[in-house]
Amino acid sequence: MEENAPRQARPAPGASIPVKLSAETLAMPPIRISLGIGHVYKDKADGSQWTLSGLRSGRTIILSAVAPGTGHRDRVSVDTLADNYEHVGCDHENFCCIEHRTHVMPHRGCMLR
């Protein structure tokens, strides 16, 4: 087959080798809340809004306050997030939207803003 043949005519690449998960990973309970960089959560106790700005190892995350200058909450566990916070949406304006598979930064190309 010629290299300049139309894309449809080329054979599809072979299936990749599946990754085997460890027993420890399989034993972990499922995550009970939607996670993604840029997701916005409301604290059930005081109503303040927080943006998930980082994922850490050990099922912990970093939350940044939506209101500027009001702080960060580092190493919040995923279970604490599910129990004490409510997912209210995504910040498509300033973050990558993992849920919709659209890269926003640095060129801010999210079609959902």
Side-chain angles (χ1 to χ4, degrees):
M1 184 173 294
E2 293 184 34
E3 203 50 42
N4 60 358
R7 185 71 176 155
Q8 310 78 293
R10 294 182 192 160
S16 62
I17 299 170
V19 176
K20 288 188 176 184
L21 297 175
S22 69
E24 182 182 1
T25 302
L26 292 171
M28 293 193 126
I31 296 173
R32 300 175 289 141
I33 193 166
S34 178
L35 288 179
I37 304 293
H39 285 212
V40 179
Y41 303 92
K42 184 168 87 173
D43 190 336
K44 292 178 182 176
D46 63 6
S48 60
Q49 291 194 348
W50 298 83
T51 303
L52 194 149
S53 58
L55 302 169
R56 291 196 177 262
S57 63
R59 294 172 60 114
T60 59
I61 58 165
I62 303 168
L63 294 174
S64 300
V66 171
T70 55
H72 288 51
R73 294 182 180 172
D74 195 359
R75 298 210 182 270
V76 176
S77 76
V78 173
D79 294 325
T80 301
L81 184 73
D83 293 338
N84 301 327
Y85 294 83
E86 176 185 353
H87 180 260
V88 294
C90 299
D91 183 357
H92 293 291
E93 196 67 31
N94 297 309
F95 291 91
C96 296
C97 182
I98 293 172
E99 186 171 285
H100 300 106
R101 306 284 191 261
T102 305
H103 183 73
V104 180
M105 297 301 287
H107 54 270
R108 298 163 112 34
C110 183
M111 299 183 315
L112 302 171
R113 342 185 240 148

